[in-house]
Amino acid sequence: MRIVVVLLAVVVGLGLVVVLVGLMLPVKHEAALSATIPAAPDAVWAALTEVAAYPKWRGDVTSVEMLPADSGHVAWREQGKNGAISYVIEAAEPPRRLVTRITDKSLPFGGAWEYVVIPDGAGSRVRITEHGEVYNPVFRFVSRFIMGHTATIGAYLKALGARFGVTVVPEAG
């Protein structure tokens, strides 16, 4: 019985530490990764903006539902390993800059991704900057110390590289 009480106290104590550390972390963060993609900026732009085709090349997206335009901007809902998440294109400067934002207010996280596509020899350098917000202190702890703020960006860039037939290694900045 004493071992059970001690184990329970340890679990509760660790949980309390996670919550307290999470509360001390800022809600907002910025993270960025980039990768070289062997395709012209126009081809990369098409892959980034043809959201209905995401399930064909992004392993984390099982389906995409196009939503009514949001203030004249393209909007959609992705279904995947993280459940359903709705997005809108906030800014588009083809084929150079794209900004998408999560529109769901009920999620424990939110924010925007800025994609910058720069010609790089015969290919393109793609930089994704996440302007993220994590509202739940436990999720903040997990995002910062367990997953890392760049995990989703890295997975996206790897999928984009695979879309063009190469393995990419995302780099900081």
Side-chain angles (χ1 to χ4, degrees):
M1 178 69 169
R2 182 175 178 178
I3 293 175
V4 172
V5 172
V6 169
L7 286 175
L8 185 59
V10 168
V11 169
V12 169
L14 286 175
L16 187 58
V17 167
V18 166
V19 170
L20 290 174
V21 171
L23 285 169
M24 293 189 310
L25 293 171
V27 171
K28 295 183 179 187
H29 67 270
E30 188 171 291
L33 291 176
S34 61
T36 300
I37 306 297
D42 288 336
V44 171
W45 182 263
L48 296 177
T49 59
E50 291 172 3
V51 298
Y54 282 178
K56 294 178 183 174
W57 61 272
R58 287 184 52 203
D60 62 331
V61 178
T62 56
S63 66
V64 169
E65 172 191 357
M66 299 308 294
L67 300 174
D70 183 342
S71 301
H73 298 283
V74 173
W76 71 99
R77 180 177 298 114
E78 294 178 3
Q79 186 70 42
K81 69 175 189 169
N82 296 318
I85 303 175
S86 298
Y87 298 88
V88 65
I89 293 178
E90 277 192 345
E93 301 166 21
R96 188 181 79 68
R97 182 175 172 268
L98 176 70
V99 178
T100 62
R101 176 170 298 282
I102 294 173
T103 58
D104 292 315
K105 301 297 183 201
S106 63
L107 296 173
F109 56 87
W113 273 17
E114 179 181 21
Y115 306 73
V116 175
V117 182
I118 301 167
D120 186 15
S124 302
R125 186 77 178 165
V126 178
R127 180 176 196 250
I128 300 174
T129 303
E130 176 178 282
H131 304 279
E133 300 170 3
V134 184
Y135 313 116
N136 179 303
V138 174
F139 277 56
R140 275 199 297 272
F141 180 92
V142 170
S143 176
R144 172 69 169 80
F145 296 111
I146 297 173
M147 289 178 42
H149 292 314
T150 61
T152 306
I153 302 169
Y156 189 99
L157 286 169
K158 288 177 182 180
L160 183 61
R163 158 77 177 74
F164 289 99
V166 298
T167 300
V168 299
V169 179
E171 302 169 358

